[in-house]
Amino acid sequence: MKKAILTTKVGMTQIFNEDGVLTPVTVLQAGPCVVTQIKTVENDGYAAIQVGFVDKKEKATTKPQKGHFDKAGVSPKKFVKEFRFENAEEYKVGQEIKADIFAEGDKIDATATSKGKGFAGGIKRHGLATGPKTHGSKYHRHAGSNGAASDPSKVFKGKKMAGQMGNKQVTVQNLEVVKIDVENNIILVKGSVPGPKKSLVVLKESVKA
């Protein structure tokens, strides 16, 4: 991997190309991210760069974190993440990574935490079938049988049941970068990207491109 950046989701809009074709896009505020640490094979056993994104108040930063950022000579950051770049040795501490790391037409994978939708039943969460609606069945939206009694005497893991819906890490692959606004550090990605507005979205070059 040679390209990756941390972004925050601004929202969705639509743009028209020269032929008047409409394209729905997600607007992402991409950095600038700052390199806070360089990891090497000699010191850490692997090569990677650590980047920070979005300034954070100093009073909300712990002393170990503050020492780490002070050593790098950067202000405290809200988000910190590692990228195992093939060319990690080419980066320097304090260097900025901006939206122009990607180009128009690049294929990317977007990773974010999906919108949390609270507690939901099996019908809404998994699309299970409902029971009869009439004749006093009293069985409309129940989950149904969960398993046999004596053998195996348990409910198997992974069974589709009620529970928390959403709020999980989701990756959408092979999205296309439609436009790059270098001046304002904005990336327009074709289609939808997981997560609510203002959430952290990690963009990486696609593994399937």
Side-chain angles (χ1 to χ4, degrees):
M1 180 173 67
K2 291 183 178 179
K3 297 179 181 181
I5 196 169
L6 300 180
T7 70
T8 51
K9 186 173 178 179
V10 178
M12 288 197 73
T13 185
Q14 53 194 26
I15 59 174
F16 294 87
N17 66 8
E18 296 170 357
D19 300 323
V21 177
L22 183 148
T23 304
V25 294
T26 301
V27 183
L28 300 168
Q29 182 68 52
C33 296
V34 182
V35 179
T36 55
Q37 188 180 358
I38 305 291
K39 301 216 168 181
T40 60
V41 177
E42 294 77 25
N43 285 345
D44 308 283
Y46 64 98
I49 66 166
Q50 184 192 86
V51 299
F53 178 48
V54 181
D55 288 336
K56 180 169 143 185
K57 289 181 181 177
E58 196 168 306
K59 69 178 182 179
T61 308
T62 63
K63 282 187 179 180
Q65 288 174 337
K66 186 177 181 303
H68 181 67
F69 292 124
D70 287 345
K71 185 179 178 182
V74 300
S75 58
K77 301 296 178 186
K78 186 177 180 181
F79 304 111
V80 177
K81 191 166 180 64
E82 281 186 11
F83 295 126
R84 294 201 181 192
F85 283 166
E86 297 168 15
N87 56 339
E89 68 283 349
E90 297 176 11
Y91 287 86
K92 295 179 181 177
V93 173
Q95 181 178 340
E96 286 190 339
I97 299 175
K98 298 184 178 181
D100 57 4
I101 192 170
F102 289 106
E104 293 178 12
D106 280 356
K107 294 289 186 178
I108 58 167
D109 296 339
T111 303
T113 302
S114 63
K115 285 184 181 181
K117 295 177 173 66
F119 190 92
I123 291 165
K124 180 176 179 179
R125 190 179 181 210
H126 299 295
L128 303 182
T130 59
K133 295 284 197 306
T134 56
H135 300 296
S137 74
K138 298 183 181 178
Y139 182 75
H140 307 306
R141 299 180 70 88
H142 284 271
S145 174
N146 289 331
S150 59
D151 182 31
S153 299
K154 65 176 181 179
V155 178
F156 288 110
K157 281 186 179 179
K159 180 165 177 62
K160 293 177 179 178
M161 300 174 73
Q164 187 187 34
M165 185 175 175
N167 195 34
K168 287 194 171 97
Q169 181 174 294
V170 178
T171 299
V172 178
Q173 296 182 314
N174 252 358
L175 294 170
E176 183 183 344
V177 176
V178 178
K179 195 172 182 180
I180 304 283
D181 185 345
V182 179
E183 189 177 336
N184 296 309
N185 268 313
I186 285 182
I187 298 177
L188 300 184
V189 177
K190 184 178 181 180
S192 61
V193 165
K197 292 177 183 177
K198 299 183 181 179
S199 63
L200 179 72
V201 181
V202 181
L203 299 186
K204 297 178 181 178
E205 62 179 345
S206 179
V207 295
K208 292 183 177 178

